[in-house]
Amino acid sequence: MALHVALRHVTEYHYDRRVNLGPQVVRLRPAPHSRTPVLAYSLRIEPEGHFLNWQQDPQGNWLARLVFPEPVTHFRVEVDLVADMAVVNPFDFFLEPAAEQWPFEYDTALARELRPFREVEPAGPRLRAWLDALPTTPQQIVDKLVEVNRALLEDVRYVIRLEPGVQTCEETLEKRSGSCRDSAWLLVNVLRHMGLAARFVSGYLIQLVPDGPPQPGLTADFTDLHAWAEVYLPGAGWVGLDPTSGLLAGEGHIPLACSPEPGSAAPVTGGLDKCKVEFHHEMVLRRVVETPRVTAPYAEAEWQAILAAGDAVDARLVADDVRLTMGGEPTFVATADPDSAEWH
């Protein structure tokens, strides 16, 4: 039962004159640890005549480093990928016994490796008050993470914010609203103050119209750039938490870049000459393979075609005088009454 979707993502900048571009870094290739299988991927860059080198940063993210030797009038990035939307159980992971209950301590070697993901600045008054309101009694770690994730969902209203950058934790808590990147960065800081290693994630979010009752506000398949957080749990590795939905990351979350700081996870970074810019952004999602499944069986026309094929086979068997018989002994015998005539 396969469900494959094709995602097309175009980012385009048009300049009012020919400009020099500094090295551009594009972080739009699914990260190696993506739990959603990516069956095909391509990256196309315009204008031609550039140099492209693939690199991996210290977190293992794929970076496309672009160099344009000549001045340009536009810069276009086009991503096409095909993803297998097989259902992912976000709770399907193993935990080391020492990490099953919060709070816990990372062992010395692991704590040293995770140091960049545990660095925190002193909490402001609003963040401190929010942390102090959390129960401090020992609790199963998964239950604790679900509780904190949902608490942020209830306290921070999601808004579409077009201004650049990420709000501070104090700004988000003061406004009680923020974009996905604001909520994700707030969750990262909350987790770090709880003694957990956490990082910021930028990626694609794919939401498909469910086979069953429709979800409020989701009338068509949808995709967009999104941000969430990941926490490191010994035994499980990095586990995704999405404070915008209050859920753990599933098959619809495709990470592109994970970093200790949001600035290192931006989709495109680089410098250019001073100029006026027209920006165009487009994302398209379509289903390319969709086999019948329990929740979305054959359509009526398909089912009638299957029945017609069966009738045609039956007609040929009769016309060719093909007869079906049963030979040998039955392979089934009732345990309750094995001596009945039908078994002999």
Side-chain angles (χ1 to χ4, degrees):
M1 296 185 293
L3 177 53
H4 298 169
V5 299
L7 186 154
R8 181 172 181 266
H9 176 202
V10 176
T11 304
E12 195 164 8
Y13 307 86
H14 284 272
Y15 312 117
D16 65 338
R17 58 187 178 84
R18 294 176 66 83
V19 299
N20 294 297
L21 291 183
Q24 305 291 306
V25 176
V26 176
R27 303 177 182 87
L28 290 175
R29 179 174 169 179
H33 75 290
S34 173
R35 299 179 70 184
T36 303
V38 177
L39 308 178
Y41 175 84
S42 70
L43 174 70
R44 286 183 287 276
I45 304 295
E46 292 182 7
E48 297 181 357
H50 59 272
F51 298 96
L52 186 154
N53 290 297
W54 283 106
Q55 305 172 349
Q56 283 186 286
D57 67 11
Q59 280 67 245
N61 303 307
W62 287 108
L63 310 180
R65 187 178 186 273
L66 303 163
V67 175
F68 296 85
E70 301 294 334
V72 301
T73 58
H74 75 287
F75 174 37
R76 188 175 193 270
V77 180
E78 180 179 339
V79 171
D80 284 285
L81 64 82
V82 176
D84 182 353
M85 300 299 290
V87 176
V88 170
N89 177 5
F91 296 97
D92 184 17
F93 53 78
F94 171 83
L95 288 172
E96 296 289 353
E100 291 179 350
Q101 191 174 66
W102 179 85
F104 66 83
E105 294 290 337
Y106 297 102
D107 67 51
T108 304
L110 186 57
R112 186 164 52 248
E113 295 176 4
L114 293 173
R115 188 174 298 157
F117 307 100
R118 303 181 67 194
E119 292 182 355
V120 292
E121 296 181 357
R126 291 182 177 82
L127 179 56
R128 175 47 55 196
W130 201 93
L131 292 167
D132 289 343
L134 292 176
T136 57
T137 54
Q139 188 176 0
Q140 289 293 321
I141 183 62
V142 175
D143 294 340
K144 186 66 177 181
L145 292 173
V146 169
E147 176 185 288
V148 170
N149 201 31
R150 288 181 176 174
L152 277 183
L153 169 67
E154 295 172 358
D155 288 351
V156 179
R157 179 174 56 90
Y158 171 70
V159 296
I160 298 176
R161 193 172 64 80
L162 301 180
E163 298 85 2
V166 178
Q167 293 177 170
T168 66
C169 297
E170 293 297 294
E171 288 177 307
T172 301
L173 290 173
E174 179 183 9
K175 297 176 180 179
R176 297 180 67 87
S177 67
S179 65
C180 57
R181 62 187 184 276
D182 302 320
S183 295
W185 183 233
L186 174 58
L187 178 57
V188 167
N189 281 272
V190 167
L191 294 171
R192 291 180 182 179
H193 278 283
M194 293 170 55
L196 300 170
R199 63 184 183 180
F200 182 90
V201 184
S202 173
Y204 290 126
L205 175 65
I206 297 175
Q207 292 180 291
L208 302 180
V209 175
D211 297 331
Q215 295 180 359
L218 186 61
T219 58
D221 295 343
F222 168 84
T223 186
D224 203 353
L225 284 171
H226 192 51
W228 60 95
E230 287 182 346
V231 60
Y232 193 88
L233 303 179
W238 292 105
V239 176
L241 301 167
D242 188 346
T244 303
S245 64
L247 303 174
L248 271 69
E251 67 275 4
H253 295 75
I254 302 180
L256 298 171
C258 309
S259 176
E261 303 286 337
S264 300
V268 181
T269 56
L272 71 161
D273 293 340
K274 186 175 182 180
C275 62
K276 293 182 179 180
V277 182
E278 290 185 4
F279 175 72
H280 171 71
H281 178 261
E282 176 186 1
M283 298 193 72
V284 178
L285 185 73
R286 60 187 178 91
R287 304 189 186 198
V288 292
V289 174
E290 186 171 11
T291 57
R293 49 197 179 275
V294 174
T295 52
Y298 290 109
E300 183 60 27
E302 294 172 317
W303 184 242
Q304 291 304 321
I306 292 172
L307 293 178
D311 291 339
V313 171
D314 284 342
R316 289 195 61 181
L317 290 174
V318 172
D320 295 339
D321 195 26
V322 177
R323 306 181 186 187
L324 303 180
T325 61
M326 183 179 74
E329 297 181 359
T331 57
F332 175 84
V333 177
T335 57
D337 190 10
D339 296 324
S340 294
E342 61 263 33
W343 311 124
H344 296 275

